[in-house]
Amino acid sequence: MPGPRSGRVAALLASAVALTLPGCGLPGSSDVIVRGEVQRSAPVSDDAGTWEPPGRDATTVPQDFVKNFLAAPAGEPSRAQARVRRFLAPEADEAWRPADTVHVARLVGEPIINRRPSGYDVQLQVEHLGELADNGAVVPRPRAAARYRFSFAEGERGDNSLYVTAALPLILLQDAVLRQYYESRPVYFWSADETTLVPDMRYLPRRDVTAAQIPTQILDWMLGGPVPWLRPAVRALPPGAARRGNVPAPTRDRIEVTLSKAVDTDRREQVDKLATQLRWSLGDSEQTLRLRVDEFQADYGGADYQRANAAYRGSRPVTAMAVLGGRPRPIGASTPGLVVPPELPSGYRLARRAAYTMVGVVWSAAIVRPAGGKDLGLDLAFGSEAGLEPPRPTSLRARSVGRPVWIRGGRSGLVAADGRLYSFRAGKQPRATPVAGAPVGRVGAVAVAPDGQRVALLVGGVLYVAALGADDAPVGIGPAQRVPVALGGLTAVDFSEEGRLVVAGRLPDGRAQLVDVTLDGALQTPRAGQFGAAAITQLVALPSDPTSRSGPGPVLYEANGLAYELYSVERRLTAEDVGVPGSTAYPSAPFFVT
């Protein structure tokens, strides 16, 4: 019997997250009232308005003035230069001629402020992360360190307020300011095969956009289409689609959107899909959406639309597993309600790493195992809750094989082996073939988003994201976007939210570290934990449910051949956790069942 701590991972997951279940029917097609009239409600009265950073004259304390000046660009990018100019003395304003580009950067250390007879000099050391575009997206740029200076002084003729006398050579938006004065908001697009919604992260400038204006801004971003790297994976709205007027201020129970040429209204299933896309993007499941397209009108309510997002979870707890004695074993199998995967045939004890997925009633397993000499191979096994069939070998043979990952749908998956990216696929003759389109370099790790349309790769120690080809065709990778990460020696990656990754690497002092990073690299948050000096060789995360807004999900990882959990605290897993009490061996290669 597992001890009192053995079901800890499963128990925590059971209370916080649930297994993704395949939807049936068309999400958003139920709970619809066609052309129904709803009594008008009063507008929301507690509109928080805008978030205004302090102005130039808010302080005469040098340290606070520097902080306020660095927050000056916050807001819509087109107005950033004008806002910075409010801090400048007349002579500095006349001399300042920056480009309009808003550069997002991370401040390295604190600003160095030196007192001079004529005022103050400030030195900044930054790491460039990307550029904030007018469509609210951050366009990543390769990490680049830079040093900048600016000066400020008191005003003339007894004016003790402070003015910038020599400005920075560019418009610099600190990542901390992006986090404080913007809302991270996903805009959703249907996948190219129209089976699931795919998020596209934007930053809403709450300095300029009131709560009542948010729906109009999000709608404009939807009409403008996805960011370039995501385009191969999703379907944009038709080129002629447009909104008819601003979205009226939402009430507590309804929001109204009026569009033209956005969809063929004679195809009701397409209108329903548009409504589902809007409801996810607008982000309030409690409101009824009144959608007007040309002469068509319908009201959409209820929560059925949530199933259109593959990252949304049902009510069943998620299963975590780890490998012990050559067999994948569930962690905390005694947890009530836990779905325990079917076992491999009793004589199969070859597993080094594994990945399990369940689609409907069909279970699929991908297993890395010894293949003779120093080689490793990849086996595939399929079955039902009654048990898995004997695993069948694929053609893959390599000295180094990473963690395999299934693509949503369970028919194919990806794995890194000997520095190349391979896809594997179910069939009478399972096969593993190289994947076209991956960035040039040695592929060290791969992760697939819950929607199955996006992939993260470590190539040559650099993090990339890219669109993923359809599951029913040869798997391919679209043009990759490089993601800057404030770590060196990257070793592992996975999706911790639908719009974030968790990445393993090393700090400058050599210690291992986990960092959650947005797919554009603009926001990065280190995970708390004592990871030590050993490299993290495998990393899996359970992406958080986008309806919960609970932040990045829990992770399991491997270091020194040992399995660890990191939920609220960090802990090494034991044989007792995987149902083998009394064993002196320790589990390895942990993973979540998808």
Side-chain angles (χ1 to χ4, degrees):
M1 286 288 292
R5 301 180 64 186
S6 62
R8 187 173 180 280
V9 173
L12 286 168
L13 298 178
S15 64
V17 294
L19 183 65
T20 300
L21 299 177
C24 56
L26 178 67
S29 61
S30 61
D31 301 310
V32 181
I33 309 150
V34 181
R35 301 181 185 274
E37 288 299 323
V38 180
Q39 184 177 359
R40 290 191 174 273
S41 303
V44 178
S45 60
D46 55 352
D47 184 343
T50 57
W51 304 343
E52 187 75 19
R56 181 195 58 78
D57 56 358
T59 183
T60 57
V61 177
Q63 290 81 2
D64 293 339
F65 181 82
V66 169
K67 180 179 179 181
N68 295 347
F69 176 60
L70 293 178
E76 292 183 356
S78 60
R79 304 182 189 180
Q81 185 175 145
R83 292 191 177 102
V84 175
R85 289 189 182 278
R86 296 174 191 169
F87 278 73
L88 306 188
E91 298 81 2
D93 183 38
E94 181 71 23
W96 196 50
R97 294 291 182 270
D100 288 332
T101 304
V102 177
H103 298 266
V104 180
R106 182 176 67 89
L107 199 61
V108 179
E110 293 296 322
I112 300 174
I113 305 174
N114 295 312
R115 176 72 162 144
R116 306 295 185 194
S118 58
Y120 299 87
D121 286 345
V122 183
Q123 300 177 41
L124 301 177
Q125 182 175 348
V126 305
E127 187 175 73
H128 283 271
L129 301 174
E131 298 166 3
L132 181 62
D134 288 338
N135 66 355
V138 170
V139 181
R141 295 289 182 252
R143 288 174 59 192
R147 294 178 183 273
Y148 299 109
R149 293 175 178 269
F150 70 93
S151 302
F152 65 95
E154 293 180 356
E156 298 178 355
R157 299 183 181 89
D159 180 2
N160 64 352
S161 61
L162 299 173
Y163 296 83
V164 172
T165 54
L168 294 166
L170 75 174
I171 302 174
L172 192 70
L173 183 66
Q174 191 181 348
D175 61 342
V177 174
L178 186 70
R179 193 187 303 267
Q180 183 174 2
Y181 292 105
Y182 295 75
E183 278 188 49
S184 300
R185 293 293 294 261
V187 176
Y188 289 89
F189 297 92
W190 279 101
S191 59
D193 59 4
E194 296 189 344
T195 60
T196 187
L197 289 170
V198 181
D200 184 0
M201 189 60 66
R202 307 297 173 90
Y203 296 93
L204 190 71
R206 286 305 309 273
R207 181 174 191 163
D208 301 307
V209 181
T210 67
Q213 296 168 332
I214 289 175
T216 299
Q217 178 65 83
I218 289 175
L219 187 57
D220 285 346
W221 286 340
M222 282 182 58
L223 293 167
V227 294
W229 72 267
L230 193 58
R231 289 172 187 164
V234 300
R235 188 181 300 274
L237 295 179
R243 61 177 169 87
R244 292 165 59 181
N246 293 335
V247 178
T251 65
R252 292 192 183 277
D253 55 14
R254 190 172 75 245
I255 185 169
E256 300 181 10
V257 174
T258 304
L259 299 169
S260 63
K261 300 180 180 179
V263 69
D264 182 356
T265 55
D266 290 333
R267 299 177 62 191
R268 182 53 187 272
E269 73 280 1
Q270 293 298 312
V271 182
D272 293 344
K273 281 182 175 289
L274 175 60
T276 297
Q277 180 182 359
L278 284 165
R279 294 189 72 193
W280 266 107
S281 296
L282 295 173
D284 192 337
S285 62
E286 301 299 321
Q287 291 173 322
T288 294
L289 168 68
R290 171 163 292 180
L291 175 60
R292 298 185 181 94
V293 182
D294 302 321
E295 301 304 317
F296 176 91
Q297 175 179 307
D299 290 351
Y300 292 82
D304 194 47
Y305 78 99
Q306 294 176 330
R307 295 183 294 112
N309 186 340
Y312 171 72
R313 303 186 183 280
S315 59
R316 296 168 65 185
V318 174
T319 304
M321 302 185 75
V323 175
L324 182 68
R327 295 178 67 82
R329 304 173 187 270
I331 300 171
S334 62
T335 302
L338 190 70
V339 177
V340 178
E343 291 192 6
L344 292 164
S346 59
Y348 191 93
R349 296 181 176 274
L350 299 173
R352 295 282 184 85
R353 304 185 188 281
Y356 281 43
T357 189
M358 182 179 68
V359 179
V361 297
V362 178
W363 282 89
S364 305
I367 304 163
V368 178
R369 47 87 179 171
K374 296 183 179 180
D375 285 349
L376 296 171
L378 181 69
D379 290 353
L380 302 182
F382 305 92
S384 64
E385 62 181 8
L388 292 172
E389 299 172 355
R392 294 185 295 221
T394 67
S395 57
L396 181 66
R397 295 291 183 275
R399 293 296 178 91
S400 172
V401 180
R403 176 177 71 93
V405 291
W406 287 100
I407 299 172
R408 177 178 175 268
R411 295 191 297 270
S412 61
L414 297 171
V415 66
D418 283 352
R420 299 187 69 182
L421 183 65
Y422 291 84
S423 66
F424 53 86
R425 192 170 185 83
K428 292 182 178 180
Q429 297 294 328
R431 62 187 187 275
T433 56
V435 174
V440 176
R442 185 175 181 84
V443 180
V446 60
V448 176
D451 50 62
Q453 310 296 317
R454 300 168 295 151
V455 64
L457 298 164
L458 296 183
V459 182
V462 177
L463 177 61
Y464 294 88
V465 291
L468 191 59
D471 189 39
D472 58 356
V475 176
I477 302 293
Q481 173 177 275
R482 185 170 178 166
V483 182
V485 182
L487 287 176
L490 303 183
T491 57
V493 63
D494 203 5
F495 282 81
S496 58
E497 291 185 74
E498 60 174 359
R500 290 180 190 259
L501 301 166
V502 58
V503 187
R506 291 194 180 278
L507 297 169
D509 63 7
R511 288 180 295 125
Q513 180 63 52
L514 297 180
V515 171
D516 287 289
V517 55
T518 51
L519 269 62
D520 51 28
L523 300 179
Q524 306 188 26
T525 306
R527 292 247 180 169
Q530 300 297 321
F531 302 107
I536 294 173
T537 49
Q538 178 164 310
L539 174 64
V540 291
L542 184 65
S544 57
D545 188 324
T547 63
S548 69
R549 301 179 183 179
S550 58
V555 300
L556 303 170
Y557 69 92
E558 179 188 75
N560 266 339
L562 302 174
Y564 293 82
E565 66 173 52
L566 178 59
Y567 193 75
S568 56
V569 296
E570 180 187 15
R571 187 175 73 90
R572 185 176 67 185
L573 297 175
T574 68
E576 190 175 14
D577 291 320
V578 294
V580 189
S583 173
T584 58
Y586 286 92
S588 63
F591 62 97
F592 291 109
V593 176
T594 59

